[in-house]
Amino acid sequence: MKPAPFEYHAPETVPDVVGLLAEYGDEAKPLAGGQSLVPMLALRLTRFEHLVDLNRVPALSGVERRDDTLVVGAMTRQATIERGAQAQAVPLLGLAAPLIGHVQIRNRGTLGGSVAHADPAAEMPAVALALDAELEVASPAGTRMLASADFFVGNWTTVLGDDELLTALHFPVWSGRCGFAVDEVARRHGDFALTGVACGVELDANDTVSRVVIALFGMGSTPLRARAAEEALVGRRPDADTLDEIGRLAVADLDPPEDIHASARYRSVVGAHVVTRGLTRAVQEART
Ligand SMILES: Cc1cc2nc3c(=O)[nH]c(=O)nc-3n(C[C@H](O)[C@H](O)[C@H](O)COP(=O)(O)OP(=O)(O)OC[C@H]3O[C@@H](n4cnc5c(N)ncnc54)[C@H](O)[C@@H]3O)c2cc1C
């Protein structure tokens, strides 16, 4: 099947992009790596009269360290994050990238596309949520910063308006005795996760947890922070029994989706183990 006809636009600046989005409203859609949008158009699951290609806008790509923040342009390819040295300041990005689809997909797919697409089983939205990344958004009215916690609304839905473009993501850089992990269970390598976690742990000099973040994916209609589990772990020594308990707590109040790939019960039971496994790896890294 082929996509329905559309008019193709190739602007070269952010103001031109948001100008086109404002002009055509809900008949227009930004085209980033095309790894989600193009299959949906080809299968005629969706159609738009206007596609606004972001690939000729240089200002949307690149990774830049600004003091304690890593700023990643929305059009930065997932493969650039996976292979590039610059993104190493935020280890969760480098840990998540290789789990996205296959190398051909990551060569085209972008960080901003992953986050704006907001698939609840995707890795990068959970990384953004775990780290409280700030999202830079442009529109004809100017630029605004959004907290990740306010960005995701539901399945493939965010707070972005029709005339708004995600331009960059601002990630805090952690320092000290830190460790990170992204862990997931998928039916095959490259598939979307059935359940997964992005987590980070900081230990103090006594090996007690001083900071922890846990974000789950595949467990609801958006990525989810396990805040009760985070609070329960701070101030404790993360031994095996404690991390088992935290894994169970992280999924305790969730109502995971049920589909042909996995039951809700499967996602809960396996999700708890995935959280424990991820935290165990993060703690080991922080200790060493
Ligand atoms: C076989 C296969 C397996 C995959 N497996 C995974 C996986 O395991 N994990 C995973 O996370 N993803 C997976 N993907 C999806 C892939 O990572 C996509 O790259 C990603 O979802 C979207 O990024 P993109 O740059 O291709 O965006 P596009 O497909 O171009 O766009 C996706 C959506 O986001 C919007 N958008 C894009 N950029 C912006 C922006 N800057 N501002 C506002 N809106 C924007 C578009 O308008 C569109 O609605 C898979 C894809 C395929 C084909």
Side-chain angles (χ1 to χ4, degrees):
M1 203 125 84
K2 297 283 182 222
F6 55 83
E7 197 174 329
Y8 173 80
H9 304 267
E12 295 182 1
T13 67
V14 170
D16 287 348
V17 171
V18 295
L20 287 162
L21 295 178
E23 183 178 349
Y24 296 114
D26 63 5
E27 294 186 345
K29 206 70 177 151
L31 172 67
Q35 299 304 298
S36 294
L37 183 57
V38 170
M40 289 170 75
L41 293 169
L43 293 168
R44 303 228 176 172
L45 296 172
T46 187
R47 64 174 295 176
F48 295 95
E49 299 292 323
H50 300 269
L51 289 192
V52 181
D53 192 347
L54 307 179
N55 286 275
R56 290 181 178 78
V57 186
L60 291 174
S61 292
V63 181
E64 187 192 337
R65 177 80 183 258
R66 293 184 202 158
D67 300 324
D68 292 336
T69 303
L70 192 76
V71 182
V72 187
M75 281 298 290
T76 306
R77 308 283 170 192
Q78 295 149 0
T80 303
I81 290 168
E82 182 180 358
R83 297 183 203 130
Q86 281 165 305
Q88 284 173 4
V90 179
L92 277 182
L93 288 171
L95 292 166
L99 300 174
I100 300 172
H102 304 277
V103 67
Q104 295 85 348
I105 290 162
R106 301 194 293 271
N107 279 339
R108 293 298 302 168
T110 65
L111 177 64
S114 277
V115 172
H117 188 57
D119 190 301
E123 290 82 2
M124 287 304 184
V127 168
L129 186 68
L131 294 174
D132 292 315
E134 297 217 325
L135 310 184
E136 191 180 311
V137 172
S139 75
T143 300
R144 63 174 179 144
M145 299 297 289
L146 290 172
S148 302
D150 299 330
F151 188 73
F152 303 103
V153 174
N155 284 305
W156 306 291
T157 311
T158 71
V159 296
L160 283 182
D162 289 335
D163 63 350
E164 286 191 309
L165 181 74
L166 178 59
T167 51
L169 294 94
H170 296 229
F171 293 93
V173 175
W174 287 29
S175 56
R177 297 181 69 210
C178 301
F180 300 89
V182 180
D183 205 332
E184 66 180 42
V185 169
R187 283 169 64 88
R188 298 169 305 187
H189 171 71
D191 284 4
F192 276 98
L194 300 175
T195 174
V197 67
C199 59
V201 175
E202 184 179 334
L203 300 178
D204 67 16
N206 301 317
D207 273 1
T208 299
V209 174
S210 53
R211 171 158 64 153
V212 57
V213 294
I214 303 169
L216 299 157
F217 48 99
M219 296 295 278
S221 62
T222 65
L224 300 165
R225 275 291 280 274
R227 297 200 189 267
E230 292 172 4
E231 282 168 24
L233 187 54
V234 170
R236 291 170 69 180
R237 281 176 178 262
D239 56 33
D241 288 345
T242 302
L243 295 185
D244 272 343
E245 175 198 325
I246 297 300
R248 288 192 297 274
L249 187 57
V251 302
D253 294 330
L254 302 185
D255 182 18
E258 179 117 17
D259 55 33
I260 55 165
H261 303 300
S263 66
R265 168 108 183 109
Y266 178 90
R267 283 191 164 90
S268 281
V269 172
V270 175
H273 285 291
V274 166
V275 171
T276 300
R277 205 164 66 180
L279 286 172
T280 303
R281 278 221 308 276
V283 165
Q284 275 166 359
E285 189 196 329
R287 283 192 178 129
T288 54

